[in-house]
Amino acid sequence: MQWRSLAALAALLSARDVANAQQMMRFSCSKLTIERLDPLVSPGMTQSPHMHQVGGGNSFTSTMTPVEYDLVEKSTCTSCSFSEDFSNYWTANLFFKARNGTLKRVPQLVNMGLKADGGLTVYYIPPYDGKTNVTAFKPGFRMLVGDSTLRQAEGQQRQLCHRCFATINQVPFGGAPCTGDDTASLPPKMCSGGIRTTITFPTCWDGVNVDSPDHKSHVAYPETGTFESSGPCPASHPVKLPQLMYEIIWDTREFNDPDVWPEDGSQPFVYSMGDGTGYGQHGDYMFGWKGDALQRALDARCSNDRCSELKSQSAEDAMRCTLNQTVFEKYDGWLSQLPGNWTITYS
């Protein structure tokens, strides 16, 4: 018991020390809703093709027209730690496919040092040099990273990866995301401490468009180097944005039973868009911070989930902010098929 406590403390310190050292905002957004809704890729559809888990402001709905739809004005609560953040953050769900073909949604764990009901951990990271400022996202801004149709590494955007934890306390911690033993595909083995998905967004903006037809073209990666190495933005996208990153901790422990895994030992997890590889993982973002709150927090280089520039709320208040499904659909318990009747593909 003492070893476990020390291990948990070590992991907590690792995560928090990284955030403090790099002066990055790191906070939870509890589960707002789980449903087939995607106002970015499938606007106006009361049921999008595949299921998502969503965090943030409770104005999340099927149609959210850029600029015209004001997330701050229309939301009455947020599932995130900072009460001025009514943005929406969403990703695909992960399911376990048993040997008999049935499927069960993999629940989410709260990240180390935070308190939430599942959901995801959100990071806003200013430049690593400790002095350069960035421009906060503008009202109406939204973007997508990743491609739900990918089933191979070729064509995948940067810094989308999975980490297989050996312990629930995330010890050993494993260093920066998408380094070491991290994989773009889903881990090929049982992970005793769960699987972490990391989703990192581009950090350069064209300075004009808050969206684009593919929800990607208005943003870009540094022309050379990386955001971490202070690489310059290309002339076509000259405005440097904060690095937005999601982490989702999938609690795979209940599925670590060789008797229900495929007989050939292949990994049995699939994403909600029928992706049995993991290469199709993706993240969606809609900006919804109140006024200049995010810019002030970035300029102040706030760390973790407390910031003198921002208003916070208790984890309990954040967890109370939820939405009912627009169209009821079962997603928990054992299912005969993925929501939306997806065929699982591997190539």
Side-chain angles (χ1 to χ4, degrees):
M1 182 62 72
Q2 183 180 15
W3 180 88
R4 289 182 180 177
S5 298
L6 290 173
L9 178 60
L12 170 58
L13 290 175
S14 294
R16 283 194 169 271
D17 286 351
V18 168
N20 280 322
Q22 303 297 346
Q23 298 174 307
M24 59 182 71
M25 296 166 65
R26 175 185 182 268
F27 59 92
S28 279
C29 289
S30 283
K31 178 186 73 177
L32 178 73
T33 184
I34 294 176
E35 61 178 314
R36 283 199 288 133
L37 207 60
D38 191 338
L40 193 60
V41 177
S42 305
M45 293 180 63
T46 53
Q47 280 197 302
S48 63
H50 66 265
M51 185 159 276
H52 297 95
Q53 56 110 7
V54 187
N58 69 340
S59 64
F60 188 77
T61 187
S62 62
T63 301
M64 302 172 76
T65 307
V67 181
E68 178 183 316
Y69 193 89
D70 188 337
L71 282 69
V72 175
E73 180 183 274
K74 294 183 180 295
S75 296
T76 58
C77 68
T78 175
S79 70
C80 300
S81 302
F82 294 114
S83 56
E84 297 169 283
D85 181 15
F86 300 100
S87 306
N88 284 123
Y89 312 88
W90 67 100
T91 75
N93 293 94
L94 189 67
F95 286 80
F96 171 79
K97 183 182 178 183
R99 186 178 298 182
N100 65 7
T102 59
L103 298 122
K104 189 175 184 181
R105 184 179 71 89
V106 181
Q108 289 129 261
L109 282 168
V110 66
N111 216 334
M112 296 297 293
L114 300 170
K115 184 177 181 181
D117 176 15
L120 64 165
T121 307
V122 176
Y123 292 74
Y124 286 89
I125 309 172
Y128 283 66
D129 63 9
K131 57 185 179 181
T132 305
N133 287 331
V134 288
T135 300
F137 307 102
K138 301 302 180 185
F141 187 95
R142 63 270 317 272
M143 61 180 166
L144 165 69
V145 67
D147 182 344
S148 65
T149 66
L150 278 183
R151 299 294 181 269
Q152 58 186 13
E154 184 179 356
Q156 192 177 42
Q157 288 178 268
R158 302 182 193 179
Q159 295 175 295
L160 304 174
C161 61
H162 302 85
R163 177 167 296 180
C164 180
F165 280 121
T167 69
I168 198 65
N169 298 318
Q170 301 182 12
V171 176
F173 187 64
C178 304
T179 61
D181 293 331
D182 290 3
T183 55
S185 60
L186 284 159
K189 61 183 180 180
M190 291 187 186
C191 300
S192 301
I195 299 171
R196 186 185 76 189
T197 298
T198 298
I199 298 172
T200 313
F201 289 79
T203 54
C204 300
W205 176 42
D206 67 14
V208 178
N209 300 292
V210 294
D211 196 9
S212 50
D214 63 357
H215 315 296
K216 296 181 178 182
S217 299
H218 60 306
V219 291
Y221 295 98
E223 187 172 34
T224 59
T226 63
F227 180 83
E228 292 84 352
S229 67
S230 299
C233 286
S236 59
H237 296 75
V239 181
K240 184 171 283 190
L241 300 167
Q243 187 175 63
L244 175 65
M245 185 175 81
Y246 303 164
E247 286 181 344
I248 306 96
I249 312 293
W250 306 108
D251 188 0
T252 58
R253 291 175 296 173
E254 70 173 283
F255 308 108
N256 288 343
D257 180 355
D259 291 336
V260 295
W261 273 50
E263 291 186 69
D264 64 2
S266 58
Q267 80 82 24
F269 295 100
V270 301
Y271 279 113
S272 52
M273 62 283 189
D275 175 18
T277 67
Y279 293 119
Q281 176 60 308
H282 55 286
D284 301 71
Y285 173 65
M286 281 194 182
F287 172 82
W289 283 81
K290 186 176 182 180
D292 66 347
L294 180 59
Q295 186 67 64
R296 287 187 285 106
L298 290 166
D299 290 348
R301 282 183 148 69
C302 291
S303 294
N304 289 302
D305 58 345
R306 289 290 180 267
C307 175
S308 61
E309 293 290 333
L310 299 175
K311 296 177 182 177
S312 299
Q313 63 178 345
S314 68
E316 289 71 25
D317 283 342
M319 288 187 284
R320 277 192 284 269
C321 187
T322 60
L323 276 177
N324 293 325
Q325 288 182 321
T326 305
V327 176
F328 175 76
E329 184 171 28
K330 182 180 178 181
Y331 59 80
D332 275 338
W334 289 101
L335 307 174
S336 61
Q337 55 195 5
L338 290 170
N341 302 329
W342 282 86
T343 298
I344 299 169
T345 57
Y346 298 87
S347 60

